[in-house]
Amino acid sequence: MGKFSAYKIPLKDLSAGTHVYEYDLDNDYFRDIEGPEVPKGKAHAIVEVKKNSQSFELKFDIKGVVQILCDRCLEEMDQEIDAQDKLMVKFGEDYGEEGDSLIIVPEEEGEINIAWYLYEFIALNIPIRHVHPIGKCSKVMVSKLRRHLAHDANEELDNDDDDELELDEVENNEDEQAEAPIDPRWEGLRQLLNNDNNN
């Protein structure tokens, strides 16, 4: 991890109290970290390290904008990041993790490299579903989505309206499919089941 040497914090050399580190995370950082969720972006991280008698408390405050792929059109979109997280670090014999936020660092090394933790906190701050604002998706992909939506057999698809497809229309179409009338053959089985339950 030579390219991430700037992200090493020399815990063993710190005096008691709070120490502040700042990092600018740019496209080079995201390229080097090779994380699958965030290929590029620009963020600023402030890391406060508080040395206690037996441990170190690291507080992360990360703000910025990263580029990720839209779930709907697969084009890049900007996603704002505002992440606050904590890590506790203790010295031990070997590297290890206890739970989600306690890291064990070998005492003889006496340092921690936070490059990957910064990336993880950014990735965890991205919403599960991320799409462009309405009207900002790729027109080409929106057109293809519209062509592949299920439509009523009597409804004719107007190609001139392809570029007007909005996110709500896609979601409403999915809801309508979920609420479609039940096939009459299944309805007969349902009545049999209801009769059995009433007896």
Side-chain angles (χ1 to χ4, degrees):
M1 269 181 108
K3 53 191 168 185
F4 297 117
S5 57
Y7 300 92
K8 288 181 181 176
I9 298 179
L11 299 174
K12 205 169 188 178
D13 299 337
L14 295 180
S15 57
T18 302
H19 305 265
V20 178
Y21 297 84
E22 296 193 36
Y23 304 92
D24 287 315
L25 312 175
D26 57 13
N27 288 341
D28 292 338
Y29 164 81
F30 289 103
R31 183 195 65 232
D32 291 343
I33 206 84
E34 297 178 358
E37 293 92 354
V38 185
K40 55 186 175 178
K42 187 172 185 178
H44 184 73
I46 299 174
V47 183
E48 287 186 8
V49 183
K50 184 177 181 181
K51 183 176 183 178
N52 301 315
S53 58
Q54 300 292 322
S55 63
F56 301 85
E57 181 182 34
L58 281 65
K59 289 184 182 177
F60 296 78
D61 185 8
I62 309 169
K63 291 180 172 58
V65 176
V66 296
Q67 280 76 48
I68 55 177
L69 296 183
C70 172
D71 286 340
R72 187 163 165 246
C73 71
L74 303 180
E75 295 286 326
E76 278 189 357
M77 61 171 280
D78 288 345
Q79 175 67 53
E80 286 191 23
I81 297 296
D82 188 356
Q84 288 81 38
D85 285 280
K86 281 185 189 178
L87 276 181
M88 293 298 294
V89 180
K90 288 186 176 181
F91 288 138
E93 291 185 12
D94 297 308
Y95 281 107
E97 292 185 14
E98 294 182 9
D100 292 335
S101 59
L102 177 60
I103 309 299
I104 308 298
V105 172
E107 188 167 4
E108 60 184 35
E109 291 186 20
E111 63 184 20
I112 185 170
N113 191 315
I114 62 167
W116 182 253
Y117 296 108
L118 291 167
Y119 177 82
E120 275 191 338
F121 293 145
I122 289 171
L124 289 170
N125 197 251
I126 295 171
I128 292 173
R129 185 168 186 271
H130 36 84
V131 294
H132 281 107
I134 292 176
K136 299 293 184 186
C137 276
S138 161
K139 300 294 184 188
V140 173
M141 185 60 78
V142 165
S143 176
K144 290 180 180 180
L145 279 172
R146 184 170 179 83
R147 285 192 193 99
H148 290 89
L149 287 174
H151 290 279
D152 188 308
N154 298 323
E155 179 184 339
E156 286 195 23
L157 183 60
D158 183 359
N159 288 333
D160 294 336
D161 293 336
D162 285 350
D163 59 346
E164 296 176 6
L165 179 67
E166 300 289 356
L167 178 61
D168 290 340
E169 188 173 347
V170 175
E171 292 172 342
N172 290 341
N173 189 279
E174 292 170 353
D175 292 342
E176 287 169 10
Q177 290 178 37
E179 296 171 4
I182 296 173
D183 185 311
R185 293 168 291 185
W186 291 113
E187 187 57 40
L189 289 173
R190 179 181 284 179
Q191 287 178 0
L192 286 172
L193 181 63
N194 288 341
N195 288 340
D196 286 347
N197 289 339
N198 291 334
N199 292 335

